[in-house]
Amino acid sequence: MIAMKKVLLGLVIIFILSAATCFAAPFNKLEPGQTAIGLTYWGGEDDQYTTITGEDYTLGGGYLEHRFDNMTLGFEILGRSDTGITYVSGLGWYSLEEKLRLSDFYLHYHLSDKFRLLLGRHSFEDKLSDNYGNSAKLSDNKVYVGASYSVPLSDSIDAYAALTTASIQVGANVNLSDSVVANLFYRTFDWDDQGVDSTVSGFGLGVAYKF
């Protein structure tokens, strides 16, 4: 019951934060029964597309995860919203809004303190709409499997690498205290829309609170 209350509280906080900012999470080291809630900033660069303002896919949001014995269940959501306004001769002012959303449901099975098996589902969505009621959407969903390996670099720093059928991620967790962890990582994420393959990659950082 306590674990369920912690999970529900974390989900409420994440959805509030992701709505305010416009979201595979860092690999925290959790003890059985422990929960982590974190904020993430990821500066992704797409090799096929840019946003309507010509920028890269910089996303912000957060994640929640809880460890049950040898399994960790988690959910991450990242997103952003952009609006471009221009004046079109004969038409008037024209505005175009773009909403990006990346979500990830995942399960980590702990084979040991260093090795994990990974299973999850990535969802990517890009919505476009204008002030005349027109809209379009790019989306992709992938179920993935993979594995990760982590190793301590010092008493307070752990490095990790994860490879799945949908993404690659390497990073380091810095334990600022027993309950606060800073994350630095590099992530690539593959998706496609109607046969067009695209890869979003870049550095990210975040902070997590364990309780």
Side-chain angles (χ1 to χ4, degrees):
M1 181 62 70
I2 295 177
M4 183 58 67
K5 289 182 178 179
K6 289 160 65 176
V7 170
L8 291 175
L9 174 61
L11 285 174
V12 170
I13 294 174
I14 284 177
F15 279 113
I16 291 174
L17 290 172
S18 64
T21 58
C22 329
F23 145 31
F27 289 75
N28 293 308
K29 181 180 291 186
L30 300 177
E31 299 297 329
Q34 197 169 33
T35 299
I37 182 170
L39 300 177
T40 302
Y41 174 87
W42 180 35
E45 180 178 352
D46 196 306
D47 63 356
Q48 296 290 336
Y49 303 101
T50 62
T51 64
I52 60 173
T53 56
E55 300 175 2
D56 295 325
Y57 286 84
T58 302
L59 306 173
Y63 65 93
L64 172 72
E65 57 184 16
H66 181 81
R67 180 168 178 177
F68 303 89
D69 294 326
N70 290 328
M71 290 192 304
T72 295
L73 296 177
F75 172 68
E76 181 186 28
I77 181 168
L78 299 168
R80 67 176 288 163
S81 179
D82 294 293
T83 301
I85 302 176
T86 187
Y87 184 82
V88 180
S89 179
L91 182 63
W93 288 104
Y94 179 80
S95 67
L96 182 65
E97 182 180 26
E98 181 176 26
K99 293 183 178 180
L100 304 173
R101 183 183 180 94
L102 171 66
S103 61
D104 184 15
F105 289 93
Y106 57 90
L107 181 151
H108 296 175
Y109 185 80
H110 300 260
L111 296 176
S112 68
D113 290 340
K114 295 183 178 180
F115 288 99
R116 305 184 192 187
L117 296 180
L118 313 176
L119 173 65
R121 179 178 179 270
H122 281 310
S123 296
F124 183 88
E125 188 174 87
D126 187 354
K127 291 183 178 180
L128 296 169
S129 60
D130 64 18
N131 57 325
Y132 290 94
N134 302 306
S135 63
K137 181 174 73 172
L138 303 175
S139 63
D140 185 44
N141 297 283
K142 287 186 178 181
V143 175
Y144 64 87
V145 295
S148 70
Y149 177 78
S150 62
V151 60
L153 300 181
S154 67
D155 292 339
S156 59
I157 302 177
D158 295 303
Y160 65 85
L163 175 64
T164 77
T165 54
S167 64
I168 299 174
Q169 182 168 317
V170 294
N173 297 327
V174 181
N175 299 295
L176 303 179
S177 69
D178 290 339
S179 57
V180 180
V181 182
N183 309 295
L184 176 65
F185 61 89
Y186 182 85
R187 176 193 300 174
T188 67
F189 168 69
D190 294 326
W191 69 289
D192 74 277
D193 179 73
Q194 300 178 359
V196 179
D197 294 326
S198 180
T199 300
V200 183
S201 59
F203 287 95
L205 53 87
V207 63
Y209 176 71
K210 301 188 293 185
F211 57 101

